[in-house]
Amino acid sequence: MVSIVLLGMQGSGKGTQAQLLAKKYQIQHISTGDIFRDNIKNKTILGQKVEAFLKKGELVPDALTIAIIEDTLKKCEKGFILDGFPRNLEQTKALDTVAAIDLAINLQITDKEAIKRLSGRRTCSQCNAVFHIETNPPKKKDVCDKCNGRLIQRDDDKEDAIKNRIAIYKTNIQPILDYYIEKDVLFTVDATKRIDYVFEEMCDVIDALG
Ligand code: AMP
């Protein structure tokens, strides 16, 4: 049972790597972004509450986000990998009260690379699979290879929202990194490298946990 937090700027590959890790270690992939997007798609009360924040690329209020994570972790009976949570110090401290984190992995990339990756990203409207128009195009334009769903550009992958999300990330990340350095669980990876290389590097660290 391993409990992992994935940190990194939008576009650093958190979602992709989290899916790979969840499969290999048979742990639960918990993405707050996916939870919110699914709720918006299904027009739930939660979805209605959070839709405007996601559209603008702003953070959903802590009280709401923390309550969702607490609830999700309570139901989680195996290890987990958190993708997109925590996003600020408040959330980091709250997480500590519900789960002990074995490893916080920081996927590091530059702003320029993040903008390039996000603006070309296309996401499946049905299964959340992620493609890139240049580096990982679908076989058929705008159609998901996995489920034939329609590929869309997320509202928050449009230029103004991307800039907003990166600015928020930069304001909030250092205290989170400091917190995990203090706990001696932080590991940083160069996420500009190939997906399989980054994945292997993370697996080595997880395997070393014993
Ligand atoms: P992501 O898919 O992780 O980039 O998240 C997409 C959007 O969901 C973010 O821009 C926020 O609006 C919202 N969101 C996701 N995770 C959090 C979080 N931990 N705290 C607040 N808002 C979040």
Side-chain angles (χ1 to χ4, degrees):
M1 286 257 287
V2 63
S3 311
I4 303 170
V5 159
L6 266 194
L7 303 168
M9 207 183 277
Q10 292 74 12
S12 60
K14 291 191 301 291
T16 305
Q17 296 293 349
Q19 282 175 11
L20 293 170
L21 290 172
K23 193 166 171 207
K24 170 160 177 163
Y25 293 98
Q26 292 295 301
I27 54 181
Q28 190 174 338
H29 173 198
I30 302 169
S31 156
T32 36
D34 283 350
I35 294 173
F36 291 143
R37 279 185 291 275
D38 284 346
N39 276 276
I40 292 171
K41 195 167 86 184
N42 296 324
K43 302 194 185 322
T44 66
I45 293 172
L46 173 64
Q48 286 165 16
K49 282 187 191 163
V50 302
E51 188 165 11
F53 295 103
L54 269 85
K55 215 164 192 167
K56 285 186 269 178
E58 285 172 7
L59 291 187
V60 171
D62 281 341
L64 199 54
T65 312
I66 290 168
I68 284 159
I69 282 294
E70 283 175 350
D71 188 48
T72 308
L73 289 180
K74 250 186 240 155
K75 290 179 201 148
C76 177
E77 286 170 353
K78 44 188 182 179
F80 60 83
I81 178 146
L82 278 173
D83 152 18
F85 187 98
R87 285 279 233 279
N88 57 28
L89 189 58
E90 189 75 33
Q91 294 182 5
T92 312
K93 289 182 179 167
L95 176 61
D96 235 8
T97 66
V98 279
I101 300 303
D102 301 310
L103 189 61
I105 303 177
N106 178 25
L107 298 178
Q108 218 166 31
I109 56 163
T110 59
D111 298 18
K112 207 174 145 200
E113 179 69 17
I115 291 171
K116 191 174 134 204
R117 289 185 183 185
L118 291 176
S119 52
R121 179 157 79 174
R122 297 293 179 273
T123 307
C124 178
S125 54
Q126 280 182 33
C127 75
N128 295 324
V130 175
F131 298 84
H132 190 280
I133 51 174
E134 283 169 22
T135 55
N136 180 26
K139 291 195 186 92
K140 197 170 154 201
K141 191 171 180 275
D142 296 334
V143 178
C144 178
D145 289 354
K146 296 183 180 160
C147 74
N148 281 326
R150 197 167 57 88
L151 298 186
I152 52 160
Q153 181 174 36
R154 281 166 39 179
D155 281 331
D156 60 352
D157 281 345
K158 293 178 183 157
E159 195 170 335
D160 283 350
I162 291 175
K163 289 194 176 141
N164 198 14
R165 291 160 70 202
I166 289 179
I168 294 171
Y169 173 82
K170 286 182 139 180
T171 309
N172 291 335
I173 189 61
Q174 198 54 48
I176 305 177
L177 296 178
D178 291 342
Y179 189 90
Y180 287 126
I181 289 171
E182 178 77 14
K183 298 247 171 211
D184 205 18
V185 293
L186 185 74
F187 176 72
T188 297
V189 184
D190 177 359
T192 58
K193 294 195 177 141
R194 274 186 12 210
I195 291 174
D196 54 346
Y197 187 91
V198 172
F199 179 61
E200 235 173 77
E201 219 179 306
M202 293 193 300
C203 291
D204 287 345
V205 182
I206 295 168
D207 293 341
L209 289 173

